Amino acid sequence: MLIVRAMGGLGNQLQQYALYRKLEHIGKDVRLDVSWFRNEAFQVTMAAGRELELDYLNPLPYKMATEEEIRAVLGRLWEEPERFAGKIRRKLHPARSPFFEENDLYHEQVFAMDHKYLIGYWACEKYYADIMDLLRADITFPRSGDEVLQKRNDEAVRQMEETVSVSVHIRRGDYLDDMNQALFGNICTEAYYEKALGYMRERFPEAVFFIFSDDIPYVKEHYQGERYRIIDWNHGRDSFYDMMLMSRCKHNICANSTFSFWGARLNPHDDKIMIRPSIHKNTQVCVPEQMKELWNGWTLITPQGGQINGD
Protein backbone atom coordinates (compact mmCIF):
# COMPACT_ATOMS: atom_id res chain seq x y z
CA MET A 1 0.00 0.00 0.00
CA LEU A 2 0.99 3.60 -0.66
CA ILE A 3 -0.25 6.49 1.46
CA VAL A 4 -0.15 10.10 0.27
CA ARG A 5 -0.28 12.78 2.93
CA ALA A 6 -2.63 15.72 2.34
CA MET A 7 -1.43 19.00 3.86
CA GLY A 8 -1.22 22.74 3.23
CA GLY A 9 -3.75 24.92 1.43
CA LEU A 10 -6.22 24.01 -1.29
CA GLY A 11 -3.75 24.17 -4.19
CA ASN A 12 -1.34 21.81 -2.42
CA GLN A 13 -4.16 19.51 -1.34
CA LEU A 14 -5.29 19.22 -4.94
CA GLN A 15 -1.77 18.27 -6.04
CA GLN A 16 -1.59 15.57 -3.38
CA TYR A 17 -5.03 14.37 -4.45
CA ALA A 18 -3.88 14.39 -8.09
CA LEU A 19 -0.86 12.21 -7.25
CA TYR A 20 -3.18 9.89 -5.32
CA ARG A 21 -5.45 9.59 -8.37
CA LYS A 22 -2.50 9.00 -10.70
CA LEU A 23 -1.20 6.18 -8.48
CA GLU A 24 -4.69 4.71 -8.33
CA HIS A 25 -4.99 5.07 -12.12
CA ILE A 26 -1.87 2.94 -12.68
CA GLY A 27 -3.18 0.21 -10.40
CA LYS A 28 -1.59 0.99 -7.05
CA ASP A 29 -3.30 0.28 -3.74
CA VAL A 30 -3.26 3.82 -2.38
CA ARG A 31 -4.88 5.92 0.34
CA LEU A 32 -5.02 9.63 1.13
CA ASP A 33 -4.07 10.53 4.71
CA VAL A 34 -5.92 13.63 5.96
CA SER A 35 -4.89 13.31 9.62
CA TRP A 36 -2.51 16.30 9.27
CA PHE A 37 -5.54 18.58 9.55
CA ARG A 38 -6.59 17.05 12.85
CA ASN A 39 -3.18 16.98 14.55
CA GLU A 40 -1.51 20.28 15.44
CA ALA A 41 1.84 18.51 15.86
CA PHE A 42 1.82 17.76 12.13
CA GLN A 43 1.44 21.46 11.31
CA VAL A 44 4.59 22.60 13.12
CA THR A 45 6.37 23.55 9.89
CA MET A 46 3.30 25.05 8.26
CA ALA A 47 0.94 27.94 8.90
CA ALA A 48 -1.46 26.86 11.62
CA GLY A 49 -5.20 26.69 11.15
CA ARG A 50 -5.33 24.97 7.75
CA GLU A 51 -8.48 23.05 6.98
CA LEU A 52 -9.20 20.16 4.69
CA GLU A 53 -10.46 22.36 1.86
CA LEU A 54 -10.94 19.36 -0.40
CA ASP A 55 -14.16 18.95 1.57
CA TYR A 56 -15.38 22.35 0.31
CA LEU A 57 -15.62 20.91 -3.21
CA ASN A 58 -18.21 18.48 -4.49
CA PRO A 59 -17.42 15.04 -3.02
CA LEU A 60 -14.16 13.67 -4.42
CA PRO A 61 -13.67 9.94 -5.02
CA TYR A 62 -10.84 8.88 -2.73
CA LYS A 63 -10.12 6.30 -0.05
CA MET A 64 -9.16 7.88 3.25
CA ALA A 65 -6.32 6.17 5.11
CA THR A 66 -7.39 4.67 8.41
CA GLU A 67 -5.20 4.68 11.51
CA GLU A 68 -4.69 0.95 11.09
CA GLU A 69 -3.52 1.36 7.49
CA ILE A 70 -1.10 4.13 8.47
CA ARG A 71 0.26 1.94 11.27
CA ALA A 72 0.66 -0.95 8.84
CA VAL A 73 2.92 1.16 6.59
CA LEU A 74 4.82 3.15 9.24
CA GLY A 75 5.11 0.59 12.01
CA ARG A 76 6.47 2.12 15.21
CA LEU A 77 7.23 5.41 13.45
CA TRP A 78 3.57 6.20 12.76
CA GLU A 79 3.34 8.83 15.53
CA GLU A 80 6.50 10.77 14.69
CA PRO A 81 6.66 11.70 10.99
CA GLU A 82 7.67 15.28 11.87
CA ARG A 83 9.96 14.60 14.83
CA PHE A 84 13.70 15.11 14.68
CA ALA A 85 14.59 11.50 15.38
CA GLY A 86 12.35 10.30 12.57
CA LYS A 87 13.96 12.72 10.10
CA ILE A 88 17.46 11.57 11.09
CA ARG A 89 16.52 7.92 10.55
CA ARG A 90 15.07 8.69 7.14
CA LYS A 91 18.21 10.52 6.05
CA LEU A 92 20.57 7.83 7.30
CA HIS A 93 18.58 4.90 5.91
CA PRO A 94 16.29 6.24 3.15
CA ALA A 95 15.90 2.92 1.37
CA ARG A 96 14.76 1.18 4.56
CA SER A 97 12.52 3.99 5.71
CA PRO A 98 8.77 3.64 5.18
CA PHE A 99 8.76 7.39 4.40
CA PHE A 100 9.54 8.99 1.08
CA GLU A 101 9.91 12.78 1.16
CA GLU A 102 9.92 14.92 -1.96
CA ASN A 103 13.23 16.77 -2.33
CA ASP A 104 13.37 17.57 -6.04
CA LEU A 105 11.07 18.89 -8.77
CA TYR A 106 10.13 15.41 -9.98
CA HIS A 107 10.51 11.85 -8.69
CA GLU A 108 9.73 9.25 -11.34
CA GLN A 109 10.43 6.49 -8.80
CA VAL A 110 7.22 7.08 -6.83
CA PHE A 111 5.32 5.18 -9.51
CA ALA A 112 7.35 2.04 -8.82
CA MET A 113 7.09 2.22 -5.03
CA ASP A 114 5.07 0.11 -2.64
CA HIS A 115 4.63 0.17 1.12
CA LYS A 116 5.64 3.83 1.41
CA TYR A 117 4.22 6.93 3.07
CA LEU A 118 4.67 9.82 0.63
CA ILE A 119 5.26 13.36 1.92
CA GLY A 120 5.43 16.28 -0.49
CA TYR A 121 3.57 18.84 -2.57
CA TRP A 122 3.97 17.21 -6.02
CA ALA A 123 3.50 20.46 -7.92
CA CYS A 124 5.14 19.28 -11.11
CA GLU A 125 2.76 19.01 -14.05
CA LYS A 126 4.41 15.81 -15.29
CA TYR A 127 3.10 13.77 -12.35
CA TYR A 128 -0.49 13.82 -13.57
CA ALA A 129 -0.68 15.68 -16.91
CA ASP A 130 -1.94 12.52 -18.62
CA ILE A 131 -5.00 12.23 -16.33
CA MET A 132 -6.08 15.87 -16.35
CA ASP A 133 -9.39 15.00 -18.04
CA LEU A 134 -10.13 12.60 -15.19
CA LEU A 135 -9.13 15.21 -12.61
CA ARG A 136 -11.34 17.86 -14.21
CA ALA A 137 -14.24 15.42 -13.98
CA ASP A 138 -13.43 14.80 -10.29
CA ILE A 139 -12.81 18.37 -9.17
CA THR A 140 -16.03 20.37 -9.37
CA PHE A 141 -17.41 23.25 -7.36
CA PRO A 142 -20.73 23.36 -5.48
CA ARG A 143 -23.20 26.19 -5.85
CA SER A 144 -22.96 28.72 -3.08
CA GLY A 145 -25.66 28.77 -0.42
CA ASP A 146 -25.42 32.56 -0.59
CA GLU A 147 -27.66 33.52 -3.52
CA VAL A 148 -26.15 37.01 -3.82
CA LEU A 149 -22.65 35.55 -4.06
CA GLN A 150 -23.82 32.90 -6.51
CA LYS A 151 -25.37 35.55 -8.76
CA ARG A 152 -22.17 37.60 -8.76
CA ASN A 153 -20.13 34.55 -9.72
CA ASP A 154 -22.67 33.54 -12.37
CA GLU A 155 -22.44 37.03 -13.88
CA ALA A 156 -18.65 36.84 -13.89
CA VAL A 157 -18.81 33.46 -15.67
CA ARG A 158 -21.16 34.95 -18.26
CA GLN A 159 -18.68 37.76 -18.95
CA MET A 160 -15.81 35.27 -19.17
CA GLU A 161 -17.71 33.19 -21.71
CA GLU A 162 -18.60 36.22 -23.85
CA THR A 163 -15.08 37.68 -24.01
CA VAL A 164 -11.52 36.55 -24.66
CA SER A 165 -11.10 36.20 -20.93
CA VAL A 166 -7.72 35.90 -19.22
CA SER A 167 -7.37 35.28 -15.48
CA VAL A 168 -4.52 37.09 -13.75
CA HIS A 169 -3.55 35.99 -10.23
CA ILE A 170 -1.54 38.47 -8.16
CA ARG A 171 -0.60 37.05 -4.78
CA ARG A 172 0.86 39.52 -2.29
CA GLY A 173 -0.61 39.23 1.24
CA ASP A 174 1.35 36.52 3.05
CA TYR A 175 4.13 36.67 0.43
CA LEU A 176 5.09 40.09 1.82
CA ASP A 177 5.89 38.66 5.27
CA ASP A 178 9.61 38.59 5.99
CA MET A 179 9.94 34.80 5.95
CA ASN A 180 7.77 34.30 2.88
CA GLN A 181 9.31 37.28 1.10
CA ALA A 182 12.72 35.60 1.23
CA LEU A 183 11.32 32.38 -0.21
CA PHE A 184 8.57 33.55 -2.59
CA GLY A 185 9.09 37.27 -3.08
CA ASN A 186 10.35 39.12 -6.19
CA ILE A 187 9.38 36.27 -8.50
CA CYS A 188 6.10 37.55 -9.91
CA THR A 189 7.49 41.04 -10.39
CA GLU A 190 6.00 43.93 -12.34
CA ALA A 191 8.29 42.85 -15.20
CA TYR A 192 6.78 39.35 -15.03
CA TYR A 193 3.22 40.64 -15.28
CA GLU A 194 4.09 43.21 -17.94
CA LYS A 195 5.54 40.45 -20.12
CA ALA A 196 2.65 38.05 -19.43
CA LEU A 197 -0.02 40.64 -20.18
CA GLY A 198 1.84 41.74 -23.31
CA TYR A 199 2.13 38.13 -24.46
CA MET A 200 -1.65 37.78 -24.22
CA ARG A 201 -2.38 41.15 -25.85
CA GLU A 202 -0.16 40.30 -28.83
CA ARG A 203 -2.25 37.21 -29.50
CA PHE A 204 -5.62 38.54 -28.37
CA PRO A 205 -5.87 42.34 -28.80
CA GLU A 206 -9.44 42.19 -27.51
CA ALA A 207 -8.49 40.29 -24.31
CA VAL A 208 -10.28 41.14 -21.08
CA PHE A 209 -8.25 40.51 -17.93
CA PHE A 210 -9.99 39.24 -14.81
CA ILE A 211 -7.81 40.11 -11.82
CA PHE A 212 -7.69 37.92 -8.70
CA SER A 213 -5.68 39.03 -5.68
CA ASP A 214 -5.39 39.06 -1.91
CA ASP A 215 -4.40 42.74 -2.13
CA ILE A 216 -7.38 44.49 -3.69
CA PRO A 217 -6.20 48.08 -3.00
CA TYR A 218 -2.96 47.30 -4.89
CA VAL A 219 -4.69 45.89 -7.97
CA LYS A 220 -7.32 48.65 -8.04
CA GLU A 221 -4.49 51.16 -8.19
CA HIS A 222 -2.42 49.31 -10.81
CA TYR A 223 -5.08 47.82 -13.09
CA GLN A 224 -7.57 50.43 -14.21
CA GLY A 225 -9.67 50.62 -17.35
CA GLU A 226 -12.43 48.71 -19.10
CA ARG A 227 -10.14 45.83 -20.07
CA TYR A 228 -9.61 44.94 -16.39
CA ARG A 229 -12.29 43.34 -14.21
CA ILE A 230 -11.33 42.90 -10.56
CA ILE A 231 -12.89 39.95 -8.71
CA ASP A 232 -13.09 41.05 -5.08
CA TRP A 233 -16.08 39.33 -3.47
CA ASN A 234 -15.10 35.72 -2.69
CA HIS A 235 -13.69 35.93 0.84
CA GLY A 236 -12.84 33.59 3.72
CA ARG A 237 -14.20 30.10 3.24
CA ASP A 238 -15.69 31.21 -0.09
CA SER A 239 -12.23 32.07 -1.51
CA PHE A 240 -12.14 28.76 -3.37
CA TYR A 241 -14.72 30.17 -5.80
CA ASP A 242 -11.90 32.33 -7.19
CA MET A 243 -10.28 29.11 -8.40
CA MET A 244 -13.52 28.14 -10.06
CA LEU A 245 -13.71 31.52 -11.81
CA MET A 246 -10.08 31.29 -12.95
CA SER A 247 -10.90 27.93 -14.51
CA ARG A 248 -13.77 29.47 -16.49
CA CYS A 249 -11.49 31.98 -18.21
CA LYS A 250 -10.19 31.05 -21.65
CA HIS A 251 -6.53 31.70 -20.75
CA ASN A 252 -4.59 32.02 -17.50
CA ILE A 253 -1.72 34.02 -16.04
CA CYS A 254 -0.61 32.46 -12.74
CA ALA A 255 1.32 33.67 -9.74
CA ASN A 256 3.91 31.43 -8.09
CA SER A 257 0.96 29.88 -6.31
CA THR A 258 -0.52 26.41 -6.57
CA PHE A 259 -3.96 28.01 -6.18
CA SER A 260 -3.76 29.65 -9.60
CA PHE A 261 -1.93 26.66 -11.09
CA TRP A 262 -5.13 24.72 -10.44
CA GLY A 263 -7.27 27.51 -11.82
CA ALA A 264 -5.35 27.01 -15.08
CA ARG A 265 -5.30 23.21 -14.91
CA LEU A 266 -9.06 23.01 -14.46
CA ASN A 267 -9.60 25.27 -17.47
CA PRO A 268 -11.05 22.84 -20.06
CA HIS A 269 -10.34 24.91 -23.20
CA ASP A 270 -8.14 22.93 -25.59
CA ASP A 271 -6.53 26.06 -27.03
CA LYS A 272 -5.79 27.74 -23.72
CA ILE A 273 -2.53 29.55 -22.98
CA MET A 274 -1.21 29.02 -19.45
CA ILE A 275 1.55 31.28 -18.15
CA ARG A 276 3.48 30.70 -14.94
CA PRO A 277 6.75 32.04 -13.48
CA SER A 278 9.92 30.16 -14.39
CA ILE A 279 10.58 29.40 -10.71
CA HIS A 280 8.25 28.82 -7.78
CA LYS A 281 10.69 29.62 -4.98
CA ASN A 282 13.88 31.65 -4.76
CA THR A 283 15.75 28.48 -3.77
CA GLN A 284 14.98 27.00 -7.19
CA VAL A 285 17.35 27.29 -10.14
CA CYS A 286 15.54 27.30 -13.47
CA VAL A 287 17.00 24.81 -15.94
CA PRO A 288 15.08 25.67 -19.13
CA GLU A 289 15.17 22.25 -20.78
CA GLN A 290 14.08 20.56 -17.55
CA MET A 291 11.23 23.00 -16.99
CA LYS A 292 10.03 22.58 -20.58
CA GLU A 293 9.81 18.83 -20.00
CA LEU A 294 8.22 18.98 -16.54
CA TRP A 295 5.73 21.74 -17.41
CA ASN A 296 4.90 20.79 -20.98
CA GLY A 297 2.27 23.06 -22.48
CA TRP A 298 3.00 26.01 -20.19
CA THR A 299 4.64 29.31 -21.13
CA LEU A 300 7.31 30.22 -18.57
CA ILE A 301 8.37 33.79 -17.84
CA THR A 302 11.27 34.84 -15.65
CA PRO A 303 11.12 37.45 -12.88
CA GLN A 304 13.09 39.74 -15.23
CA GLY A 305 10.42 39.42 -17.93
CA GLY A 306 12.23 36.93 -20.16
CA GLN A 307 10.42 34.08 -21.86
CA ILE A 308 11.54 30.47 -21.46
CA ASN A 309 9.15 28.75 -23.87
CA GLY A 310 5.84 29.20 -25.66
CA ASP A 311 5.03 30.38 -29.15
Side-chain angles (χ1 to χ4, degrees), residues 94-106:
R96 288 186 286 168
S97 171
F99 294 95
F100 180 82
E101 290 187 75
E102 176 188 36
N103 59 21
D104 206 344
L105 292 177
Y106 183 71

Side-chain angles (χ1 to χ4, degrees), residues 183-195:
L183 190 57
F184 298 109
N186 298 315
I187 291 174
C188 289
T189 59
E190 290 186 4
Y192 167 79
Y193 285 110
E194 182 178 351
K195 175 66 176 180

Side-chain angles (χ1 to χ4, degrees), residues 199-259:
Y199 186 93
M200 292 294 188
R201 288 193 191 100
E202 288 175 5
R203 287 150 183 79
F204 313 109
E206 70 279 28
V208 176
F209 298 96
F210 291 81
I211 311 295
F212 300 82
S213 181
D214 54 2
D215 190 342
I216 296 302
Y218 172 86
V219 296
K220 284 184 175 179
E221 178 182 352
H222 287 77
Y223 297 91
Q224 300 179 11
E226 64 180 12
R227 287 297 180 90
Y228 299 110
R229 315 262 174 101
I230 295 173
I231 307 297
D232 63 353
W233 53 81
N234 292 312
H235 304 298
R237 181 175 173 137
D238 293 320
S239 296
F240 73 97
Y241 286 115
D242 276 0
M243 183 185 292
M244 180 273 292
L245 291 177
M246 291 177 190
S247 76
R248 301 300 292 271
C249 289
K250 294 183 173 69
H251 308 283
N252 310 94
I253 297 172
C254 299
N256 54 327
S257 168
T258 58
F259 188 93

Side-chain angles (χ1 to χ4, degrees), residues 31-42:
R31 302 289 187 274
L32 194 67
D33 177 17
V34 301
S35 62
W36 187 88
F37 300 95
R38 299 192 297 266
N39 190 332
E40 292 184 2
F42 286 1

Side-chain angles (χ1 to χ4, degrees), residues 235-302:
H235 304 298
R237 181 175 173 137
D238 293 320
S239 296
F240 73 97
Y241 286 115
D242 276 0
M243 183 185 292
M244 180 273 292
L245 291 177
M246 291 177 190
S247 76
R248 301 300 292 271
C249 289
K250 294 183 173 69
H251 308 283
N252 310 94
I253 297 172
C254 299
N256 54 327
S257 168
T258 58
F259 188 93
S260 50
F261 290 172
W262 278 100
R265 286 165 170 158
L266 296 176
N267 175 350
H269 292 92
D270 292 335
D271 60 348
K272 66 185 175 182
I273 293 175
M274 301 179 291
I275 296 178
R276 59 147 291 175
S278 58
I279 57 174
H280 189 88
K281 302 176 182 179
N282 285 311
T283 53
Q284 179 186 344
V285 176
C286 177
V287 180
E289 290 306 316
Q290 179 188 40
M291 289 298 290
K292 289 178 186 179
E293 177 190 356
L294 299 183
W295 289 82
N296 185 37
W298 290 69
T299 297
L300 310 177
I301 295 176
T302 69

